Structure formats: C-alpha cells, structure tokens
Amino acid sequence: MSLAWIGLGANLGDAVTTVRTAIAALDGLPGTQLRQASRLYATPAWGNEDQPPFVNAVAAVETTLAAGDLLQAMLALEQQFGRVRDPAVHWGPRALDLDLLLYGEQVLDEPGLQVPHPYLHERAFVLVPLAEIAPDLAIPGHGRVQDAVVRVDACGIAPIG
C-alpha cells in the first residue's frame, strides 16, 4: 500500500456537493481507501481569474494502485463528474479537477505524470488544506508543507462551514 495525496477542486455547478461526493468516491477506486480529508475551502480563481471561485480540498488515500494507474482512475472519476478537458483552455472552469500531489515519497517525471505535482509548493489553494491535515508532510525538494504554506499568498482562502 502507498499513501497518496490528492487535490480536489471545482467551480461549476454545485461545487461544494461535487467536491464532497468526489472525496467519498475516491474510497471506491480499485484497491484504494480514503484515510483522511481536509475541510472544504473557498478559494479565488487562480491563473485565469475571470471565472467563479473554486471549492478546494485535499484527501489522503492508501492504494495498491501504481501512481500511473491511480492517475488514470482519477481522470476517469473526473469524467464521471462531467469534466471535459479542453487543451486550448488552461486553468479554466471545471466541474471537477483531481490532481495527484504526492505518491508516497516517490519522485516521478514521466509523460503525463509528475510527482510531486510540479506546482504543489506554489499553490495556496492546495497547501492550505494539505497543511490542515499533514503539516509535517515532506514535499520532495521543497521541505515540509507547513514551511511551504507560509511562503505563499493565502489571501482570500477560507474554510467552508
């Protein structure tokens, strides 16, 4: 079993319900069990700011799936929630976005798969929920989550409920 950390986000439709349902659905992936999830956070849009705010969270799962297989299962889950990937639209609105942030202590750089996620240490919308549930977690090459989160601008990020 490997411990993997997954970032979740949505800003179309009922994003709160989508993210909550997606967290539960991670537990249903083959060979995968949900171990922990952060609270949901309201976050301003990032990259392309001309869109609705996001709902974000982070979940930890234990899985027997290899990193690439877990990523493929996550992409299939996105599609089940109505995600349509348009290569012409970068950082656009989405029904559901799932990112493989960390996979054990592995560092992977393969076509279509980079672990740790290449922007993990720069994105407050992922670091804030990750710091809530795993502040001492190491981001290979970037130190602990609790140290990375203080280096980013978390203005406008607030827990929901």
Side-chain angles (χ1 to χ4, degrees):
M1 294 286 265
S2 295
L3 187 60
W5 300 87
I6 299 170
L8 301 96
N11 72 338
L12 295 177
D14 184 351
V16 168
T17 299
T18 296
V19 172
R20 284 189 176 134
T21 305
I23 289 169
L26 291 172
D27 198 47
L29 296 179
T32 302
Q33 292 183 310
L34 178 67
R35 290 293 177 219
Q36 192 174 14
S38 71
R39 293 178 288 178
L40 303 187
Y41 287 83
T43 65
W46 186 91
N48 174 5
E49 297 174 7
D50 187 23
Q51 60 182 315
F54 278 80
V55 173
N56 289 100
V58 169
V61 299
E62 278 189 334
T63 185
T64 59
L65 297 174
D69 294 333
L70 177 58
L71 179 61
Q72 290 308 309
M74 291 165 49
L75 294 174
L77 191 58
E78 284 183 348
Q79 288 181 337
Q80 291 173 20
F81 278 82
R83 171 82 186 261
V84 177
R85 289 183 176 267
D86 181 352
V89 179
H90 202 56
W91 298 318
R94 48 203 65 190
L96 178 63
D97 185 39
L98 298 174
D99 288 322
L100 183 56
L101 304 173
L102 296 161
Y103 184 87
E105 295 177 7
Q106 291 188 28
V107 175
L108 303 167
D109 190 359
E110 303 169 2
L113 175 62
Q114 288 183 290
V115 176
H117 188 284
Y119 303 113
L120 168 59
H121 65 286
E122 299 174 353
R123 292 183 172 170
F125 63 84
V126 176
L127 287 170
V128 169
L130 186 56
E132 174 195 327
I133 60 175
D136 292 322
L137 183 65
I139 303 170
H142 298 284
R144 295 180 307 165
V145 169
Q146 65 184 351
D147 298 326
V149 76
V150 298
R151 293 190 296 261
V152 297
D153 179 4
C155 185
I157 297 176
I160 295 173

